[in-house]
Amino acid sequence: QVQLVESGGGLVQSGGSLRLSCAASGRTFSRYAMGWFRQAPGKEREFVAAISWRPISWNGVDNTNYADSVKGRFTISRDNAKNTVYLQMNSLKPEDTAVYYCAASASTYSDAVDEYHYWGQGTQVTVSS
């Protein structure tokens, strides 16, 4: 069982930055892939970014995955010692406005909602134009 609590959301102007955090309970956090998803009013929940339980492979490959809409602007990272995953969001746009959810997957750092077994309650991000 993993419990997730997001924080760091808020109101920011277009072009600004925010850093979301997701604190996880449980001693097995390091074994889970972690993802960020978002849901805007009237829209389906969509993938934002994900990171493997091992962010960097033995051969230096970066085990992260991003939606095209956020590539180059958002960065996902994790600190297994702190049981925390982060989402650094730069150059924010009004279309990034949504509730952002943290999620944990026992399988892979997928972009599919159904691959994630545990979810946080979400944190609101609002970007004004």
Side-chain angles (χ1 to χ4, degrees), residues 67-87:
D68 288 343
S69 59
V70 306
K71 279 182 182 176
R73 300 189 298 123
F74 291 11
T75 302
I76 188 170
S77 61
R78 66 190 296 163
D79 185 338
N80 287 340
K82 295 183 178 180
N83 280 13
T84 302
V85 62
Y86 305 97
L87 185 68

Side-chain angles (χ1 to χ4, degrees), residues 5-77:
V5 178
E6 303 95 337
S7 62
L11 174 64
V12 63
Q13 288 188 333
S14 181
S17 298
L18 281 175
R19 188 196 196 199
L20 304 184
S21 299
C22 173
S25 65
R27 294 178 295 176
T28 59
F29 170 78
S30 62
R31 299 180 185 177
Y32 287 88
M34 300 297 296
W36 286 97
F37 291 78
R38 66 187 181 187
Q39 189 166 17
K43 295 187 177 181
E44 293 187 355
R45 192 167 298 189
E46 66 174 6
F47 170 73
V48 175
I51 187 167
S52 171
W53 64 272
R54 183 166 60 180
I56 304 293
S57 295
W58 64 271
N59 56 357
V61 174
D62 183 8
N63 293 322
T64 58
N65 188 15
Y66 294 93
D68 288 343
S69 59
V70 306
K71 279 182 182 176
R73 300 189 298 123
F74 291 11
T75 302
I76 188 170
S77 61

Side-chain angles (χ1 to χ4, degrees), residues 67-117:
D68 288 343
S69 59
V70 306
K71 279 182 182 176
R73 300 189 298 123
F74 291 11
T75 302
I76 188 170
S77 61
R78 66 190 296 163
D79 185 338
N80 287 340
K82 295 183 178 180
N83 280 13
T84 302
V85 62
Y86 305 97
L87 185 68
Q88 178 66 44
M89 305 186 294
N90 299 328
S91 302
L92 282 161
K93 305 175 182 180
E95 51 263 44
D96 294 318
T97 295
V99 177
Y100 282 70
Y101 297 90
C102 170
S105 170
S107 54
T108 182
Y109 57 113
S110 168
D111 60 1
V113 171
D114 292 345
E115 292 286 346
Y116 290 82
H117 311 97

